Amino acid sequence: YLQRGLDVRAAVEHEPLAGWRGVFGAQWRDLDLEAIGEEAFVPPSVTRNLGLFLFEERSFGSVTAELGVRLEQQQIDLPGAASAYDDEAFSASAGLIWRVAEQWRLTANMNSTERHPTATELFADGPHIAVRRFEIGNTGLDTERALGLDVGLHATAGPLTASVSAFVSDYSDYIYAAPTGTIEDGLPVIVYTATDARFSGLEAELAWQGLETSLGRWAVRVFGDYVRAEDGAGEPLPQIPPLRLGASLGFDRGPLGIELRAVWN
């Protein structure tokens, strides 16, 4: 694979306007991808993406409101084709942070997002040896759309922090690698497909930072999350670990920092 990319981002923070503080800017991405050899499963492509974004926040006493929007235009060109893909995507979010007490914080966020399909999801056609499957793209894919909601509770007590949150996201045209049950070149065949989907789940984390000893400073963290992902017919989506549990142990001494992290899926 030969992949050359350029990513440029410029952001400007404006003066407070009617109590709102915020940042606006633009981002440009240019990605030139070429797979070489007999086993190349995607054609050469050039992806260009221009994004414009705005983020604003304002405090109302113990409550902070956050608003964000992003507009993206993406174009994918293939050799010999004027434009193989050209579309816009719009995303927006709104959130509230309520400081119930000095140590307690409630959060709620709503978002409406759109995601462009990648060149692989659109144009793949061959054996993808790195993941050992035969991939077939779908040029009929549209932007992936989702409407999501999450609520969370965060607590702090000295060096101890804890958080728990719940989320749900409804997708329209969710893009995923659907197994076909067939074999090609000794590999299972998948086809990139779009379907309605729903993701729902929980996340939790407990962390203890800054335990000072004669050796140095220690940090301990345990975390976990559970997700249920179903397609429009209520069937589980493939390749999504429903449960994850993990822990980490960190140590700092002077300029040196080391962390050991283990995750079970």
Side-chain angles (χ1 to χ4, degrees):
Y1 299 95
L2 294 179
Q3 180 169 288
R4 301 176 182 86
L6 175 67
D7 196 320
V8 180
R9 183 177 185 271
V12 178
E13 182 177 354
H14 65 72
E15 292 287 341
L17 299 173
W20 289 91
R21 297 183 300 113
V23 173
F24 62 92
Q27 185 173 10
W28 168 260
R29 290 197 301 267
D30 190 302
L31 183 64
D32 189 344
L33 171 65
E34 184 177 3
I36 301 172
E38 295 180 357
E39 294 178 343
F41 73 103
V42 288
S45 64
V46 177
T47 301
R48 297 182 177 91
N49 182 292
L50 174 63
L52 305 175
F53 59 87
L54 172 69
F55 174 79
E56 298 287 334
E57 68 174 10
R58 180 181 177 181
S59 295
F60 300 88
S62 60
V63 177
T64 299
E66 298 180 339
L67 301 172
V69 293
R70 182 180 177 92
L71 176 64
E72 282 189 357
Q73 195 279 335
Q74 179 163 292
Q75 180 176 323
I76 302 178
D77 294 329
L78 301 180
S83 179
Y85 177 87
D86 192 347
D87 207 350
E88 291 79 35
F90 178 78
S91 299
S93 65
L96 292 175
I97 303 172
W98 179 24
R99 292 169 181 81
V100 182
E102 185 177 350
Q103 293 94 357
W104 295 88
R105 190 170 84 247
L106 281 170
T107 62
N109 296 281
M110 287 190 64
N111 58 77
S112 174
T113 62
E114 296 185 352
R115 181 183 75 87
H116 294 288
T118 65
T120 299
E121 293 167 338
L122 290 167
F123 309 117
D125 186 15
H128 190 172
I129 305 302
V131 294
R132 294 202 55 79
R133 65 189 187 190
F134 194 99
E135 299 189 1
I136 300 176
N138 183 353
T139 57
L141 292 175
D142 201 352
T143 53
E144 180 183 278
R145 298 174 176 85
L147 182 64
L149 170 67
D150 68 81
V151 293
L153 176 63
H154 308 263
T156 303
L160 188 66
T161 61
S163 64
V164 60
S165 61
F167 62 89
V168 60
S169 294
D170 282 322
Y171 284 85
S172 174
D173 293 330
Y174 173 77
I175 301 172
Y176 72 107
T180 64
T182 60
I183 301 296
E184 185 77 23
D185 291 346
L187 301 172
V189 178
I190 66 97
V191 176
Y192 285 104
T193 306
T195 181
D196 292 339
R198 167 170 286 192
F199 284 64
S200 57
L202 299 168
E203 298 176 341
E205 178 181 303
L206 181 65
W208 191 7
Q209 305 285 341
L211 177 61
E212 298 286 353
T213 68
S214 58
L215 296 176
R217 185 178 182 182
W218 297 84
V220 180
R221 175 174 171 255
V222 293
F223 55 91
D225 52 66
Y226 173 80
V227 61
R228 184 173 180 86
E230 300 176 334
D231 63 16
E235 295 295 325
L237 289 167
Q239 299 180 332
I240 297 177
L243 178 63
R244 186 180 69 142
L245 301 173
S248 67
L249 176 65
F251 173 76
D252 290 308
R253 181 169 182 171
L256 178 67
I258 300 175
E259 183 184 58
L260 176 66
R261 186 169 184 258
V263 180
W264 175 86
N265 293 288

